[in-house]
Amino acid sequence: MAADLLTVRQLNRATLARQLLLERSDMSLHAAVERLVGLQGQASRGPFVGLWTRLAGFERAQLAAAVDDRSIIKATMVRATLHVVTTADYLAVRPTLQPVLSDAFAAIRDQRPGPFDLDAVVAEARRHLDEAPRSFAELTTVLTAAFPDADPGTLRYGVRTHVPLVQVPTATTWSFPGNPRFTPAASWLARSLPDVVDRAALVRRYLAAFGPATAADLRTWSGLDLADTVAGLADELRVHPGGRGKDLYDLPDGPRPDPDVVAPVRFLPEFDNVLLAHAKRTRIVADEHRKRVYLPGLQVSPTFLVDGMVAGVWGTAVVRKAATLTIEPFAALDRATRQALEEEGEALVRFIEPGARTWAVRLEEPA
């Protein structure tokens, strides 16, 4: 169904609404995690901060409890990266993503020397993982002993992409340790992954979380080429013109707020998916700020939003039990915005560092 051309501001507000960033939501923890199709989890505190900024009254114990009861897990998902997802979503989505993981592995294998028997490596890894959870350092030791001529990095990545694994939580502040151990998902969840691939469902889930979006956006987020799937769904989707290959697709009932609706200041953690889910990211990050957001080594800065757009970066430090959140804006801010950032920032630093004796916010002048 044809629809109107969308402005960048309309795209911004639609995305913020779906990402629970226009106002904190009262929805349940599990409903929120599924609404977002998971939260990227390379940085252990990231999912906690991402939920704190989106849910009213969120406490870290809520996510920790869900991780402990195994209704939420950390595992490899879209873009072959670690995400915190509900168990239900993992079982529903992970099989559809296997081609992404296989392609990611093939790209690494083709660049590395030496023989490689993937089936044999997977079988050897499973044998050790079935005995006990293992870190990848431990797996590397046993796998290189079994396959001395193979490249160690290729061995590790072959296992990561072809054995569905869950990161085992520990009683740390953010539920997962810095040197985690992994165990087969089937063992952790006491059920096997279904052999069901549903690309159309993945498209709908993505649009509900990040739409309106192009087919290129879908590929950036998922790693899958879903252009044919989108074309097959065109009759049930809203299609906003954008030129050849740049049309934006959306669910008919996807929220599209008034572009003038107020967007409050919000703090986003490192690697927040709203910053990674589109090929063209100008709906939330202006081109002139990209280099301060997307860093070398595939790092993504913790950022904050002003009027719905990334307006700076932030970080925390604790010295002698004194916790400080430092805010670095990209440009000058008006008094009302500075006050809002300071208030939100103090709440954030108290959330991140509850054991500190004092909490402070330092709002720097733009460089």
Side-chain angles (χ1 to χ4, degrees), residues 305-336:
L305 307 180
V306 173
D307 193 26
M309 298 292 291
V310 170
V313 298
W314 62 273
T316 59
V318 180
V319 179
R320 298 187 183 92
K321 291 285 187 176
T324 302
L325 184 143
T326 300
I327 300 172
E328 301 177 34
F330 296 150
L333 304 170
D334 61 43
R335 181 179 298 178

Side-chain angles (χ1 to χ4, degrees), residues 202-203 206-207 213-224 226 230 277:
L202 190 64
V203 169
Y206 170 79
L207 293 176
T214 65
D217 292 329
L218 262 161
R219 183 166 190 165
T220 294
W221 171 75
S222 68
L224 288 169
L226 294 165
V230 171

Side-chain angles (χ1 to χ4, degrees), residues 281-348:
R281 294 163 179 172
T282 51
R283 70 178 67 193
I284 198 163
V285 182
D287 282 338
E288 61 263 33
H289 301 320
R290 287 179 62 90
K291 289 184 179 180
R292 296 190 66 181
V293 175
Y294 306 103
L295 306 177
L298 300 179
Q299 300 298 302
V300 182
S301 299
T303 59
F304 63 88
L305 307 180
V306 173
D307 193 26
M309 298 292 291
V310 170
V313 298
W314 62 273
T316 59
V318 180
V319 179
R320 298 187 183 92
K321 291 285 187 176
T324 302
L325 184 143
T326 300
I327 300 172
E328 301 177 34
F330 296 150
L333 304 170
D334 61 43
R335 181 179 298 178
T337 300
R338 291 174 67 90
Q339 181 177 347
L341 283 170
E342 288 170 351
E343 292 175 355
E344 185 83 352
E346 183 172 346
L348 174 58

Side-chain angles (χ1 to χ4, degrees), residues 5-17:
L5 184 70
L6 293 172
T7 66
V8 171
R9 192 172 177 88
Q10 286 174 314
L11 286 173
N12 173 268
R13 292 309 194 256
T15 305
L16 294 180

Side-chain angles (χ1 to χ4, degrees), residues 15-33:
T15 305
L16 294 180
R18 296 162 207 225
Q19 284 289 301
L20 313 179
L21 291 168
L22 280 181
E23 58 180 350
R24 283 188 167 91
S25 174
D26 291 325
M27 70 172 53
S28 71
L29 168 66
H30 291 78
V33 174

Side-chain angles (χ1 to χ4, degrees), residues 159-213:
V159 174
R160 188 182 294 275
T161 53
H162 288 83
V163 181
L165 297 173
V166 169
Q167 191 174 123
V168 177
T170 61
T172 63
T173 302
W174 305 112
S175 291
F176 296 98
N179 183 29
R181 285 180 165 79
F182 292 83
T183 195
S187 299
W188 188 255
L189 303 177
R191 70 188 89 170
S192 299
L193 271 69
D195 187 19
V196 177
V197 173
D198 193 338
R199 292 187 166 209
L202 190 64
V203 169
R204 296 187 188 99
R205 293 293 305 282
Y206 170 79
L207 293 176
F210 300 102

